[in-house]
């Protein structure tokens, strides 16, 4: 019989798998997808077995034996193995680090998969025999003798191993019906059951159409774009579709873009279903995350809700995938393994042969293009649920206005009017901190980050200058470093300054600030929702975190202090991002039966984008934007890859990218090269950055080129002297 070898994916920055032999101490060939501990240089690493072969690529005399098999079973079902392998190839990222990303931290570190150690005991049949019954197998006889005195609590498998009783021997006893393992949670053979905690709402006509379209495709792959205006009841469509999924004894996976959305989403789902629901996101402790991951893996969790990496959670009975707020940039990982969870959700659904629903009030142009070509079925929810009317949107011209922390007198009056009615107000400003600029009134000096090409933000409590790009922090100066003047002024407004101004104006009204600084503590979102849901007068001041799908029924006024922000961005996606942001923030107003008002403060009230949103809404904007993208061949009508290089000297990064480009221009399927150029923020955290953008009209041609070109680039001498990476389908060009 031919000898077989293990192909192991290790968490190292190398685009290859490693061959290991199976030591004699292993009782069987390990399963693909199991973790294994192996020697690697002078270290021991934990990797994932992704193949078994009789013809290893490494010379036989160089192959070392594996050290320890951690799992008796695969952690990744075949469909998930296929998804992760494909993602490693498509995004050109080391396969071992891709598999490592897909595991909770404790499993990466070798933690046992199960809550309790595996225990063994004799069965009722095993208790009726004697040791002589097993006289033909000394090992089985010894195992029976070890188990017989400990019937009440059994013996842990770890202890049995220490007395030289191997798992294979115990399994042989189990096959004969003499012994059984317990104390571990075996993968659930029974499947999720539908149990309601409350009755579903009565769906309107458009919701019913969408629910029917989705549920009639349960058990087969189909992609849906659920395109519904804010407040149109997309969540009810999700809930009733999931109900049908559970009725089919399957699990549902729900992806949300932000941690902040998970408490409200989970609360809504738990109020509807009396089934096990788990959350997975970075706000959990490692132990909590492993516990939730385990429940999904074992099939006990009927519904799994989480942020982007939750996509990689094994679910043995997966029957439906939902990606809420599918347009959101948070679904794209921006460092290390730069995958797009929304795009991979489509592939996972295809591999699992189940439907996937992408929901948004402002669908990405990529998803709209796929709906136009018929790749996605386009489902519309054009009206708000329960006959709730759309909010009125008005522009406030900022030119020549006297402002108090960014607030015009018209806005202050509007806030006061709503608060008198015990209604709630959202003030949106996409800038945290106290003030974005500290400058000298005498000479014009401005405080800048010494490590980035960026102004540094003034914070209060504690008083400090803080860079939001690199984390640099220092005490603000008492005197101007250039002219020694004491006339240092905080210019502009951040969320903290706006919060303080509102506290002065409305001292008796609760004011909640919602940004990265105020929501870092555990349970901060849960406590916030509890305060807001009392439906009394309150003001919410926040950044983009407020725009992401929250449902605050007593909010009747929404104000964007700087609607111009982003209108003149260098990124070709800037207008799409601004249109989505304005539409999403505006959608928080008037979601119940009280009329909603949206005020957009702008220095550019005649800007075509703002006027278009007012006249035709996001749908009209998207149609024109798609036509423009098609004209210039940019996504979704073209395909991009961005190479970023980082070095201690600017010319070093640019020279490396220039050499990489010259090597690529002579290859087959060469794309267009744009650059190399300095990054929009060239210096960040003391490092100089440069970009090289690749553009192709065909995805396959771009991938064929990248597979060949990146090998050449990686062998360049300059590649070892700086940091560089490839970002396939980049969502930001910063």
């Amino acid at each position: 019989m031919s000898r077989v070898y293990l192909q192991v994916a290790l968490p190292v920055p190398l685009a290859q798998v490693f061959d290991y032999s199976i030591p004699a101490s292993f009782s069987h060939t390990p399963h693909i997808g199991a973790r294994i501990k192996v020697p690697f240089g002078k270290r021991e690493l934990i990797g994932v077995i992704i193949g078994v072969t009789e013809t290893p690529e490494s010379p036989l005399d160089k192959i070392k034996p594996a050290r320890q098999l951690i799992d008796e079973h695969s952690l990744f079902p075949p469909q998930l193995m296929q998804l992760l392998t494909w993602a490693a190839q498509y995004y050109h990222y080391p396969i071992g680090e891709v598999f490592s990303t897909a595991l909770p931290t404790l499993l990466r570190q070798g933690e046992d998969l199960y809550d309790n150690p595996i225990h063994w005991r004799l069965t009722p049949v095993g208790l009726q025999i004697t040791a002589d019954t097993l006289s033909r197998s000394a090992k089985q006889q010894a195992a029976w003798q070890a188990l017989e005195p400990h019937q009440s609590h059994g013996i842990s498998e770890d202890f049995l191993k220490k007395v030289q009783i191997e798992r294979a021997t115990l399994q042989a006893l189990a096959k004969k019906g003499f012994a059984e393992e317990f104390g571990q949670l075996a993968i659930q053979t029974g499947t999720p059951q539908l149990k309601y905690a409350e009755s579903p709402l009565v769906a309107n006509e458009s919701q019913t159409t969408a629910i029917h379209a989705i549920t009639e495709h349960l058990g087969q792959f189909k992609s849906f774009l659920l395109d519904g205006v804010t407040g149109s009841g997309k969540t009810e469509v999700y809930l009733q579709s999931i109900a049908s999924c559970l009725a089919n004894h399957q699990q549902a996976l729900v992806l949300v873009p932000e941690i902040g959305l998970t408490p409200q989403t989970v609360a809504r789902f738990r109020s509807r279903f009396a089934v096990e629901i788990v959350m997975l996101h970075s706000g959990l402790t490692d132990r909590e995350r492993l516990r939730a991951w385990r429940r999904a893996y074992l099939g006990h969790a009927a519904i799994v809700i989480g942020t982007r990496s939750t996509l990689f959670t094994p679910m043995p009975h997966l029957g439906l995938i939902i990606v809420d707020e599918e347009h959101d940039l948070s679904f794209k990982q921006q460092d290390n393994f730069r995958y797009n969870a929304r795009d991979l959700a489509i592939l996972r659904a295809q591999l699992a042969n189940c439907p996937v629903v992408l929901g948004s009030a402002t669908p990405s142009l990529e998803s709209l293009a796929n709906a136009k070509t018929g790749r996605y079925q386009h489902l519309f929810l054009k009206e708000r649920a329960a006959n709730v009317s759309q909010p009125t949107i008005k522009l406030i011209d900022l030119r020549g206005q006297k402002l108090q922390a960014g607030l015009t007198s018209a806005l202050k009056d509007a806030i006061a009017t709503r608060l008198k009615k015990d209604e709630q107000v959202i003030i949106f400003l996409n800038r945290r901190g106290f003030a974005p600029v500290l400058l000298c009134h005498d000479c014009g000096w401005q405080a800048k980050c010494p490590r980035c090409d960026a102004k540094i933000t003034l914070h209060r409590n504690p008083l400090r200058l803080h860079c939001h790009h690199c984390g640099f922090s220092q005490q603000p100066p008492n005197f101007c470093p250039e002219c020694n003047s004491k006339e240092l002024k905080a210019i502009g407004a951040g969320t903290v300054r706006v919060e303080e101004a509102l506290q002065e104006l409305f001292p008796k009204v609760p004011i909640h600030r919602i940004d990265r600084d105020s929501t870092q503590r555990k349970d901060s979102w849960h406590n916030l929702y509890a305060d807001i849901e009392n439906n009394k007068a309150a003001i919410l001041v926040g950044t983009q975190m407020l725009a992401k799908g929250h449902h605050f029924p007593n909010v009747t006024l929404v104000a964007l202090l700087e609607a111009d922000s982003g209108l003149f961005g260098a990124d070709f996606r800037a207008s799409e991002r601004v249109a989505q942001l304005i539409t999403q923030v505006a959608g928080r107003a008037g979601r119940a039966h009280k009329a909603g008002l949206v005020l957009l403060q702008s220095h550019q009230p005649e800007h075509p984008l703002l006027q278009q949103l007012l006249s035709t809404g996001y749908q009209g904007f998207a149609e024109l934007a798609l036509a423009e993208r098609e004209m210039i061949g940019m996504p979704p009508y073209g395909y991009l890859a961005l190479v970023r290089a980082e070095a201690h000297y600017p010319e070093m990064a640019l020279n490396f990218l220039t050499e990489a480009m010259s090597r690529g221009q002579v290859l087959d399927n060469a794309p267009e090269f744009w650059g190399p150029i300095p990054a929009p923020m060239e210096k960040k955290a003391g490092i100089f950055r440069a970009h090289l953008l690749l553009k192709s009209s065909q995805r396959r041609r771009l991938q064929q080129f990248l597979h060949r070109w990146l090998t050449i680039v990686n062998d360049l001498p300059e590649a070892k002297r700086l940091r560089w990476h490839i970002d396939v389908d980049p969502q930001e060009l910063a």
Side-chain angles (χ1 to χ4, degrees):
M1 182 176 177
S2 300
R3 187 175 184 183
V4 295
Y5 297 85
L6 304 176
Q7 296 173 314
V8 181
L10 294 174
V12 294
L14 298 170
Q16 65 183 88
V17 295
F18 299 88
D19 297 316
Y20 288 91
S21 62
I22 302 174
S25 60
F26 284 23
S27 59
H28 59 89
T29 301
H31 291 285
I32 291 174
R35 290 172 298 157
I36 195 165
K37 186 178 289 186
V38 297
F40 188 79
K42 296 181 179 180
R43 300 177 290 164
E44 281 190 339
L45 297 178
I46 294 173
V48 176
I49 302 167
I50 65 168
V52 177
T53 181
E54 296 179 0
T55 55
E57 292 188 7
S58 306
L60 295 183
D61 61 339
K62 300 290 185 184
I63 297 178
K64 297 178 181 179
R67 295 273 169 85
Q68 177 191 350
L69 180 63
I70 299 174
D71 304 306
E72 286 295 327
H73 306 286
S74 173
L75 297 189
F76 300 99
Q79 297 160 356
L80 199 48
M81 293 286 295
Q82 192 175 345
L83 175 73
L84 292 167
T85 302
W86 184 92
Q89 294 172 347
Y90 182 81
Y91 292 106
H92 302 273
Y93 199 71
I95 190 166
E97 296 196 342
V98 169
F99 274 87
S100 181
T101 298
L103 287 172
T105 300
L106 292 178
L107 292 184
R108 290 179 219 161
Q109 296 171 352
E111 177 95 1
D112 190 81
L113 175 61
Y114 302 103
D115 272 319
N116 305 306
I118 300 170
H119 282 62
W120 286 84
R121 64 189 171 198
L122 296 178
T123 64
V125 175
L127 284 169
Q128 292 175 7
I129 67 171
T130 64
D132 292 339
T133 308
L134 301 166
S135 59
R136 298 182 65 180
S137 172
K139 287 184 177 180
Q140 291 180 28
Q141 189 177 60
W144 184 91
Q145 289 172 330
L147 292 171
E148 197 271 338
H150 301 282
Q151 187 56 21
S152 58
H153 298 99
I155 309 179
S156 76
E157 187 172 302
D158 288 342
F159 179 81
L160 290 167
K161 284 181 181 177
K162 290 176 182 177
V163 294
Q164 283 73 54
I165 295 174
E166 296 296 329
R167 180 175 178 81
T169 304
L170 297 165
Q171 288 176 324
L173 282 179
K175 249 184 194 179
K176 294 177 179 179
F178 298 156
E180 63 184 1
E181 59 180 299
F182 69 101
Q184 83 169 47
L185 297 170
I187 290 181
Q188 185 166 302
T189 52
T191 48
Q193 304 289 317
L194 172 61
K195 295 178 183 177
Y196 282 117
E198 67 175 16
S199 299
L201 302 178
V202 177
N204 61 32
E205 185 178 349
S206 57
Q207 287 174 320
T208 301
T209 300
I211 293 164
H212 178 73
I214 296 165
T215 55
E216 73 174 1
H217 285 90
L218 290 173
Q220 55 186 291
F221 169 64
K222 182 77 174 178
S223 299
F224 296 93
L225 175 60
L226 183 60
D227 184 350
V229 298
T230 54
S232 59
K234 291 184 290 295
T235 302
E236 187 62 29
V237 173
Y238 301 155
L239 290 167
Q240 295 199 31
S241 299
I242 288 172
S244 295
C245 174
L246 298 181
N248 285 350
H249 311 299
Q250 293 179 309
Q251 295 169 288
L253 172 61
V254 181
L255 299 182
V256 294
E258 288 279 354
I259 295 172
L261 283 178
T262 50
Q264 192 176 35
T265 305
V266 169
R268 182 87 182 269
F269 278 54
R270 283 182 175 155
S271 67
R272 175 66 58 89
F273 299 116
V275 300
E276 183 169 353
I277 301 172
V278 299
M279 289 188 294
L280 281 163
H281 55 73
S282 59
L284 303 176
T285 65
D286 289 344
R287 183 63 55 191
E288 290 170 333
R289 191 174 181 85
L290 175 56
R291 192 174 296 122
W293 188 96
R294 182 190 291 121
R295 301 301 290 174
Y297 166 80
L298 295 170
H300 293 276
I303 302 171
V304 179
I305 302 173
T307 47
R308 61 176 174 260
S309 63
T310 308
L311 174 72
F312 304 126
T313 306
M315 299 172 67
H317 313 298
L318 181 61
L320 176 64
I321 300 175
I322 291 170
V323 184
D324 191 28
E325 307 293 342
E326 65 85 27
H327 67 280
D328 199 282
L329 186 61
S330 299
F331 287 120
K332 172 71 172 179
Q333 175 74 23
Q334 299 294 350
D335 54 17
N336 300 320
F337 175 30
R338 294 169 173 81
Y339 65 93
N340 191 316
R342 177 198 65 200
D343 296 347
L344 288 183
I346 304 295
L347 179 57
R348 182 161 189 191
Q350 186 175 13
L351 294 170
N353 206 29
C354 73
V356 56
V357 180
L358 310 181
S360 178
T362 54
S364 64
L365 296 188
E366 285 85 354
S367 293
L368 286 170
N370 280 324
K372 279 180 175 289
T373 60
R375 188 178 175 198
Y376 300 167
Q377 184 173 337
H378 204 163
L379 305 174
F380 292 96
L381 303 178
K382 295 184 177 181
E383 302 294 332
R384 285 189 157 189
N387 297 316
V388 174
S389 61
Q390 291 286 356
T392 302
I393 303 178
K394 295 181 179 179
L395 282 167
I396 296 177
D397 190 345
L398 284 173
R399 292 172 295 189
Q401 293 261 22
K402 185 177 180 181
L403 305 178
Q404 181 179 354
L407 306 168
T408 59
S409 57
L411 175 55
K412 289 185 283 187
D413 291 343
I415 294 172
T417 300
R418 301 289 166 160
L419 295 178
K420 285 178 183 177
K421 298 178 181 178
D422 252 355
E423 296 171 355
Q424 295 173 345
V425 175
I426 285 179
I427 305 297
F428 177 84
L429 175 66
N430 205 21
R431 185 190 300 125
R432 56 194 171 102
F434 182 76
V437 179
L438 179 68
L439 63 74
C440 175
H441 186 62
D442 288 341
C443 75
W445 169 86
Q446 294 184 16
K448 294 182 179 179
C449 176
R451 306 175 68 219
C452 301
D453 291 332
K455 296 180 178 67
I456 193 164
T457 303
L458 180 66
H459 281 251
R460 302 268 289 269
N461 299 322
L463 184 64
R464 72 194 193 282
L465 289 169
H466 181 76
C467 178
H468 294 159
H469 300 284
C470 73
F472 174 82
S473 185
Q474 68 177 25
Q475 288 292 315
N478 294 319
F479 303 93
C480 172
E482 301 220 342
C483 72
N484 215 33
S485 169
K486 288 186 177 182
E487 291 296 310
L488 297 178
K489 305 290 185 183
I491 304 299
T495 51
V496 174
R497 190 170 203 163
V498 174
E499 178 188 22
E500 290 185 4
L502 289 167
Q503 285 173 341
E504 291 179 15
L505 290 166
F506 308 103
K508 296 181 180 180
V509 176
I511 298 174
H512 305 282
R513 177 165 53 87
I514 304 171
D515 57 26
R516 297 287 179 203
D517 299 323
S518 66
T519 57
Q520 290 179 349
R521 289 187 179 181
K522 188 176 176 66
D523 294 329
S524 57
W525 273 107
H526 176 79
N527 297 332
L528 179 69
Y529 282 123
D531 290 340
I532 295 171
E533 287 177 351
N534 63 22
N535 285 335
K536 294 181 180 178
I539 303 175
L540 287 64
V541 181
T543 58
Q544 283 197 52
M545 301 176 76
L546 269 178
K548 297 176 185 281
H550 304 289
H551 178 67
F552 302 130
N554 200 34
V555 169
T556 59
L557 172 64
V558 168
L560 283 79
L561 297 193
E562 296 178 5
D564 306 334
S565 178
L567 287 178
F568 304 100
D571 194 316
F572 72 92
R573 286 191 174 90
S575 61
E576 179 185 2
R577 301 279 185 236
V578 171
Q580 289 169 339
L581 182 62
I582 291 175
T583 306
Q584 290 284 344
V585 176
R588 303 310 108 204
R591 294 172 68 92
H593 289 282
K594 298 175 183 178
L597 173 65
V598 180
L599 299 178
L600 309 180
Q601 294 190 159
S602 171
H603 283 99
Q604 306 281 336
E606 297 90 5
H607 192 283
L609 174 65
L610 296 179
Q611 291 298 323
Q612 189 174 45
L613 285 175
L614 288 177
S615 59
T616 64
Y618 182 79
Q619 186 175 357
F621 158 80
E623 289 175 1
L624 282 177
L626 280 171
E628 291 175 0
R629 294 275 188 92
E630 188 171 20
M631 191 182 305
I632 60 176
M634 295 298 276
Y637 304 102
Y639 303 94
L640 304 179
L642 181 64
V643 183
R644 297 182 176 96
E646 301 175 350
H648 291 289
Y649 306 100
E651 62 276 7
M652 190 175 180
L654 289 167
N655 290 342
F656 164 70
L657 292 179
T658 300
E659 180 63 20
M661 180 177 65
S662 67
R663 298 296 182 98
Q665 287 172 326
V666 298
L667 299 179
D668 293 338
N669 296 320
E672 296 178 38
F673 289 91
W674 292 13
I677 59 171
M681 183 188 295
E682 183 179 14
K683 185 182 177 186
K684 183 176 180 180
I687 301 295
F688 292 91
R689 308 181 306 152
H691 289 176
L692 177 62
L693 187 66
L694 285 63
K695 174 176 170 289
S696 176
S697 60
Q698 295 182 30
R699 191 192 302 273
R700 178 173 293 182
R701 286 177 61 121
L702 180 59
Q703 283 291 328
Q704 289 172 344
F705 169 82
L706 289 175
H707 279 291
R708 186 177 177 192
W709 180 61
L710 291 175
T711 302
I712 296 171
V713 174
N714 201 50
D715 289 337
L716 292 176
E718 296 88 343
K720 310 295 188 294
R721 301 181 190 135
L722 46 64
R723 293 177 57 187
W724 68 279
H725 65 262
I726 182 84
D727 187 356
V728 178
D729 300 334
Q731 293 296 302
E732 288 187 307
L733 302 184

